[in-house]
Amino acid sequence: MTDEKFIEQNQTVVKFIQLYCDDKHKNKDKKDGILKLFYNGKNLTSMPYSLCDECESLLLYANQRLQNCPHEIKPKCRNCPNPCYEKAQWKQMAKIMRTSGMKLGLIKIKRFFGA
């Protein structure tokens, strides 16, 4: 996977988990953090986040899995012939992607119509 694709994949994960955490874990204590992206021995960039412990743990897990993805051309994780996520994390990430994906879609519609 290219460096650009690695950054893009991580940006998507951060955005989706952040949206989910902000929506579903409003009453939990959150801590600010910086996700430093290292890939192929290079320090690429960093991304800020503010997540509860549960969501931060999933973010770090997802980042580790992306770093270790063996595919040169990365497929979508749901289409991967050798999924690397453990079942519990897979289910949690699927839930987050569904929830945040719908929320992002609604945000884009509201912006388009100026609501």
Side-chain angles (χ1 to χ4, degrees):
M1 152 171 39
T2 65
D3 293 350
E4 293 78 19
K5 184 71 170 175
F6 179 75
I7 292 169
E8 175 190 314
Q9 293 282 311
N10 274 284
Q11 285 173 331
T12 300
V13 169
V14 169
K15 184 185 296 183
F16 273 56
I17 293 176
Q18 187 68 63
L19 267 172
Y20 180 84
C21 191
D22 290 346
D23 189 44
K24 302 294 184 183
H25 300 153
K26 294 175 190 161
N27 299 327
K28 288 188 177 182
D29 287 336
K30 296 184 181 180
K31 60 182 175 185
D32 295 335
I34 302 282
L35 180 65
K36 294 182 180 180
L37 298 184
F38 293 97
Y39 188 63
N40 289 335
K42 294 182 275 188
N43 182 1
L44 299 176
T45 189
S46 57
M47 292 180 240
Y49 63 84
S50 181
L51 301 170
C52 68
D53 288 339
E54 177 186 339
C55 290
E56 181 185 40
S57 177
L58 186 61
L59 173 64
L60 297 175
Y61 178 86
N63 175 258
Q64 178 192 29
R65 298 303 173 171
L66 280 169
Q67 283 180 351
N68 297 324
C69 182
H71 303 288
E72 187 64 34
I73 298 173
K74 185 185 172 314
K76 291 183 178 182
C77 290
R78 69 174 174 245
N79 298 330
C80 185
N82 304 321
C84 60
Y85 276 65
E86 297 293 326
K87 191 161 190 124
Q89 287 85 352
W90 177 263
K91 286 183 175 184
Q92 183 65 15
M93 188 60 80
K95 179 179 171 183
I96 288 171
M97 291 295 190
R98 272 193 309 274
T99 303
S100 296
M102 286 189 288
K103 193 167 186 82
L104 275 174
L106 291 173
I107 290 169
K108 287 181 180 181
I109 289 171
K110 284 182 183 178
R111 285 184 185 155
F112 181 76
F113 288 108

